[in-house]
Structure formats: structure tokens, C-alpha cells
Amino acid sequence: MTRQNRSVTLDELYRDLHSHPELSFEEIRTAAIAAAELRAAGFDVLEGIGTTGVVGVLRNGNGPTVLLRADMDALPVLEETGLPYASTTSGVMHACGHDVHVACLIGASRELAATRADWSGTVVAVFQPAEEVGRGAQAMLDDGLYERVPMPDVVLGQHVGPAPAGMVGAHPGAAFASADSIDITVRGRGGHGSRPETTIDAIVIASAIVGRLQTIVSREIAPQETAVLTVGRMNAGTKNNIIPDSAELGLTIRSYHEKVRGHILAAIERMVRAESAASGAPDPAIVPAESFPVTVNDSVATERTMAAFRSAFGEEAVLDPGQVSGSEDVGLLATAANAPLVYWILGGAHPETYFTAANAGTIERDIPSNHSAHFAPEMQPTLIRGVAALVIATREWLRS
Ligand code: ZN
Ligand code: ZN
């Protein structure tokens, strides 16, 4: 790598990361930058955890262990922001702002290392691959993350989003929805369209399944709960006079309670198998594709952290964003350590544009959301606030 000796500013670092996005599990350049920055700050560095994951450990005397997590991956999106530092890789873009997360965690690591005389404990900085496909956190755990670094007493992290830049805030309890993606192959017996008696019609079975699945949320989940089950894909057949021997369904499921999630997943399996059995068909294949658990913020730890934010940033800069329908895998790092999670939203939208849109009731139209080809966080004060939030939250847990 040809990285300058002088320490790059956070703005330079961010622009560089933004213009060089990398897809899930391919974050090689990003990981190398994170590792070099951690080393320069004085952290012990482990690389290649869960494919491209990087972890920096700063041991600084007795005290709690605080884990800070940033995800590194970009998305297969063609960037349309028109920014001077837009993606140089066609069709790949930091459309979810994980470049903000990486830059802020590097900034916080630098600051925590530089101020180590003021605190004691251990800081673990985790740069995680592949959040977008819901597999990166699990990959790091499967690769022995907690055998190689100290088990954390608290897991902290942030996600940039379409709230005004300068604002931060976390929702206590279930904060991000679970998301499960399931691929189903219904099996039948193919044959001539004129001779249904020789076949087991996979299209008829799949159709019955689609109808039957609608009863899970409407008839089996309490009305006080929130859940979504969508069949977003249905593929079968090649020609009008051929009964195909299989049909495929693609499902996505969202909910805010593990109990609800478990019920829905079990009900899907029950119905798909029963509808196949009802037609005398072979067993269907039910394959989980992507899977994110509910992201649950520990209420006590969240209130403690938000109180620290309020006294540092002022009451008006700290918001409760409510439940977010998006999903995250950061919770796995906390669950595996049996540690509380505090995961907050970091505002990244241009404040004036945001408030003008809010007053006009046009936020949905005027403020690009994560995953949009136009998603372009205001570089400042987003980065400064993101670094400060990580440092303040960390110092709240470390011994001073
Ligand atoms: Zn995303
Ligand atoms: Zn994201």
C-alpha cells in the first residue's frame, strides 16, 4: 500500500473510502486501511477474521471491555449522487453509509488511544464484513472472535441514516426488525398439460401455499404485534401445455419479537409441508437464505448512553428514532458475549434540507434513504458527531 506517512484527516479518509466501495466479504482494501490505522494508533491488530474482518485491541489497565463495531461493506448500486468523490467502481456504492461507520470508528480509535491517560480498561474495535447479507457478524464469531479478543462487557455501534446531521439517538428495546429470507421449492410430478391425472401439479400446490401463507399474520399473530410476510417471487413452468415438476417461491419475513419470528417461521414450514402432503407430492425444500435476528437495545444501557449524549450534545440533539423496519446483525456480537447492546442512529442528512422537507411533509420524497443511489450523507458535522458519539459512549463505560 502506498499510504502517506502523514496521518490523513478524517474527511480525506472518508472521501477515499466512499470512492472505493467493496461488496460483502470482498472488503480487502477497506480492511487494510482499518488495520493500518489501528496499528498507527497503537492497537494490537488481528486481520482476516471471518474472511475480511479486522479487530484492534487496546489494553489500558484494569476496567471494563468495550466493543465498538463498524461494518465495512457496500452495495450493488450504481451511484447517482454526482459527488466529486463518488464511487470509482461502476455498479458498487456505499449506499448504506458503512464508509461513515468505518471513518468514525477510525477517528474514535485514534482519539481513545491519544487520551489513554484519562481512562482505564480495554477497547476492542471491530471492523466487520458483510453486514448487508446478514452473514458477517456470524462469520467473525464462527472464526473464534471471542477466543482471540477479550469478551466485551458492552457492545456499541451506530448506523448513519436520514435524520438531521448532528443528531443521534437510540430506541430502547426492539430497535430494528428481524428479517428472514426463505427460498421454497415445491416438488410435484411433471407431464402433459392435457393429462393432469398423470401429474402432481406444482403450480397448483404453490398457489395454494401463497394463499394459505396470508393467514399466518392475519390469523395466528396477535393484532398488537407487527409482522410482515411477503411472497416476492414465484417462478414455475416453461410452456402452456407442460405441467412443471417444480415451482419456486421466495419469501421475506419481518417482525420485532423473536417469539413472533419463531412462530411465523414454524407456521411457514407447517403449511408448505402440509400443502405438499395434501396433494401427495414429494417433500418440498425450505431453505433459509438471509437471516437477521431482532436487534434489541438493552434498555438500561441505552438510557445510560443517551444520558451521556444529552449532557455532551444537548437535549435537542438526542432523539428516539422509534422502531426501524430495517435489519442489522450487530446484535449477534452482543448475544454471543451475553453483553448489553447499544446501537444508535447517527443523523447524516443536510439539516436545512431535512427540516424544510419535514415542514412540507415531503421527507419520503426529498431525503434519500439508505440503499438509494442518491444516498449522500453530509460529510460534516456527521463525521465529527459520529466520532464524538463513539468516544463519549465508550468513555461512559470505561473507568476514568
Ligand atoms: Zn444496508
Ligand atoms: Zn447498513
Side-chain angles (χ1 to χ4, degrees), residues 40 70 89 101 120 172 204 278 399:
T89 309
H101 310 166
S120 73
V204 172
R399 199 172 289 170

Side-chain angles (χ1 to χ4, degrees), residues 71 96 98 101 131-132 159 328 371:
D71 42 11
C96 202
H98 297 186
H101 310 166
E131 185 280 330
E132 291 293 352
H159 205 302
E328 253 298 334
H371 292 205

Side-chain angles (χ1 to χ4, degrees), residues 67-130:
L67 187 150
L68 302 171
R69 177 271 210 172
D71 42 11
M72 300 189 287
D73 53 332
L75 286 160
V77 171
L78 184 64
E79 180 157 357
E80 292 175 38
T81 60
L83 289 168
Y85 51 92
S87 172
T88 54
T89 309
S90 182
V92 183
M93 176 190 172
H94 266 301
C96 202
H98 297 186
D99 47 352
V100 172
H101 310 166
V102 170
C104 288
L105 184 49
I106 288 171
S109 300
R110 286 174 173 175
E111 195 169 326
L112 286 163
T115 57
R116 77 185 87 178
D118 303 336
W119 57 268
S120 73
T122 299
V123 172
V124 179
V126 171
F127 292 85
Q128 181 206 299

Side-chain angles (χ1 to χ4, degrees), residues 65-379:
T65 297
V66 180
L67 187 150
L68 302 171
R69 177 271 210 172
D71 42 11
M72 300 189 287
D73 53 332
L75 286 160
V77 171
L78 184 64
E79 180 157 357
E80 292 175 38
T81 60
L83 289 168
Y85 51 92
S87 172
T88 54
T89 309
S90 182
V92 183
M93 176 190 172
H94 266 301
C96 202
H98 297 186
D99 47 352
V100 172
H101 310 166
V102 170
C104 288
L105 184 49
I106 288 171
S109 300
R110 286 174 173 175
E111 195 169 326
L112 286 163
T115 57
R116 77 185 87 178
D118 303 336
W119 57 268
S120 73
T122 299
V123 172
V124 179
V126 171
F127 292 85
Q128 181 206 299
E131 185 280 330
E132 291 293 352
V133 294
R135 302 215 308 273
Q138 192 60 51
M140 292 189 82
L141 293 169
D142 291 345
D143 203 9
L145 174 67
Y146 290 141
E147 279 110 71
R148 305 204 218 177
V149 306
M151 195 78 92
D153 296 300
V154 64
V155 171
L156 306 174
Q158 59 188 354
H159 205 302
V160 67
M167 297 193 75
V168 289
H171 183 72
F176 289 69
S178 71
D180 289 276
S181 179
I182 297 178
D183 295 327
I184 295 168
T185 305
V186 174
R187 301 196 178 99
R189 186 166 65 233
H192 200 289
S194 69
R195 296 192 64 207
E197 76 281 13
T198 67
T199 73
I200 299 173
D201 192 333
I203 288 183
V204 172
I205 301 170
S207 305
I209 289 171
V210 172
R212 185 71 210 242
L213 290 176
Q214 309 308 313
T215 66
I216 297 178
V217 174
S218 69
R219 303 291 83 192
E220 298 191 25
I221 302 300
Q224 296 81 1
E225 297 288 349
T226 302
V228 179
L229 190 164
T230 294
V231 180
R233 187 171 63 80
M234 184 174 187
N235 303 324
T238 53
K239 193 170 185 295
N240 296 17
N241 63 354
I242 299 172
I243 294 171
D245 61 4
S246 69
E248 291 178 8
L249 299 173
L251 279 56
T252 189
I253 300 104
R254 312 269 164 156
S255 65
Y256 290 99
H257 285 114
E258 281 303 324
K259 201 171 153 242
V260 172
R261 177 197 190 199
H263 184 100
I264 294 172
L265 296 179
I268 290 167
E269 171 131 17
R270 165 165 49 84
M271 288 178 183
V272 171
R273 293 200 188 287
E275 286 294 349
S276 293
S279 297
D283 253 0
I286 304 168
V287 181
E290 291 173 9
S291 171
F292 296 82
V294 181
T295 301
V296 182
N297 275 327
D298 181 90
S299 297
V300 175
T302 299
E303 185 38 48
R304 182 175 164 184
T305 309
M306 292 311 109
F309 285 171
R310 279 192 292 269
S311 66
F313 304 140
E315 294 279 339
E316 66 294 339
V318 182
L319 74 165
D320 180 341
Q323 287 185 322
V324 175
S325 58
S327 302
E328 253 298 334
D329 67 355
V330 65
L332 294 172
L333 300 176
T335 304
N338 197 22
L341 171 73
V342 184
Y343 195 70
W344 61 87
I345 296 290
L346 172 69
H350 185 267
E352 239 169 72
T353 312
Y354 183 92
F355 289 117
T356 305
N359 288 334
T362 55
I363 287 180
E364 285 74 13
R365 189 193 68 196
D366 295 340
I367 306 296
S369 71
N370 301 59
H371 292 205
S372 155
H374 298 278
F375 185 69
E378 283 291 300
M379 196 159 54

